Amino acid sequence: AKFASMSKKRVAIIGSGSWACAIARLVGKNCKRSELFEDEVRMWVHQDVVDGRNLTDIINTTHENVKYMPGIKLPHNIIADPEVESTTKDANVLIFVVPHQFLDGLCEKIVGNHAADCIAISLIKAIHFDENGIVLISDMIKKGLNGMDVSVLMGANLANEVACGAFCETTIGCTDESNGIVLKQIFDDPLFHVTVVKDVPGVEVCGALKNVSIS
């Protein structure tokens, strides 16, 4: 899929762990200052209760995920949402940052709920195996979302370093170069340098080898 019009695009983050929160700092800032994207970025949060309060309420009032990334403030345009359906409603870009074991169930809820021109990007550093051998996480997402174009973002990046503003480099692997260029605008920052290449499997496997999780 390619973006169908020049209207502002809605970005959604699926996941709220330490890596998701680190990347949300960049995504929120870039969407806020870009004419290409809507200011508001919804982030799906698996609901939890911390000190008697819903985690989503804590994030939306203190702008901090006290469970997974304490002490790090999120941009005010990052909105925590406990329902993945409302998080992804009419989204043009889906950013997947969740354990890959949850993908099948999430994709069942997301498919068809997004914009018609929606594209996705996986930040999940893992390898899955089925009875036929290796399955790329990007292919799991693509299959679960009826053939959606899925890119990947991988690098030797640690969540705490990215969240604290240490200089990092990363790579987006894409199939459609025009989508890769759009995705770069969501993540690229003077302290988070993004390179785009037309190679999803190569980038994804290298990222997974850095942080292997085999099932």
Side-chain angles (χ1 to χ4, degrees), residues 3-195:
F3 287 145
S5 71
M6 293 304 292
S7 59
K8 285 194 172 187
K9 305 305 176 186
R10 178 176 289 274
V11 178
I13 301 172
I14 299 128
S16 59
S18 58
W19 183 217
C21 289
I23 215 70
R25 284 169 52 82
L26 298 169
V27 173
K29 181 171 67 172
N30 284 340
C31 288
K32 183 76 172 176
R33 67 187 181 190
S34 172
E35 292 298 317
L36 182 59
F37 306 107
E38 290 188 9
D39 288 355
E40 182 183 280
V41 177
R42 302 196 79 82
M43 179 173 72
W44 176 68
V45 177
H46 181 71
Q47 191 65 282
D48 206 343
V49 177
V50 179
D51 295 331
R53 297 179 63 197
N54 286 336
L55 183 57
T56 50
D57 293 337
I58 295 172
I59 293 172
N60 288 333
T61 54
T62 69
H63 309 289
E64 180 181 341
N65 188 331
V66 295
K67 183 172 182 179
Y68 293 109
M69 188 63 80
I72 299 295
K73 293 296 183 181
L74 298 172
H76 288 204
N77 59 322
I78 298 291
I79 307 299
D81 191 328
E83 302 295 336
V84 73
E85 295 91 342
S86 53
T87 300
T88 58
K89 182 173 175 56
D90 299 327
N92 305 96
V93 180
L94 303 175
I95 302 170
F96 284 87
V97 206
V98 291
H100 72 282
Q101 294 89 344
F102 298 128
L103 282 175
D104 287 345
L106 287 170
C107 286
E108 288 176 5
K109 296 179 179 180
I110 294 169
V111 66
N113 194 48
H114 47 74
D117 63 352
C118 190
I119 62 174
I121 184 165
S122 170
L123 279 63
I124 303 168
K125 298 173 181 176
I127 295 175
H128 180 68
F129 284 88
D130 65 12
E131 63 276 7
N132 297 314
I134 292 176
V135 180
L136 296 177
I137 304 303
S138 59
D139 285 339
M140 290 177 63
I141 298 170
K142 183 175 183 177
K143 181 179 179 181
L145 297 180
N146 292 340
M148 182 181 294
D149 183 75
V150 182
S151 301
V152 296
L153 182 149
M154 301 285 160
N157 310 129
L158 299 176
N160 286 338
E161 292 182 354
V162 174
C164 292
F167 178 77
C168 300
E169 295 181 293
T170 197
T171 302
I172 288 176
C174 62
T175 301
D176 186 310
E177 193 169 7
S178 62
N179 287 343
I181 292 170
V182 170
L183 292 167
K184 179 177 179 176
Q185 294 179 61
I186 297 175
F187 300 99
D188 194 51
D189 182 83
L191 294 175
F192 192 74
H193 183 260
V194 178
T195 301

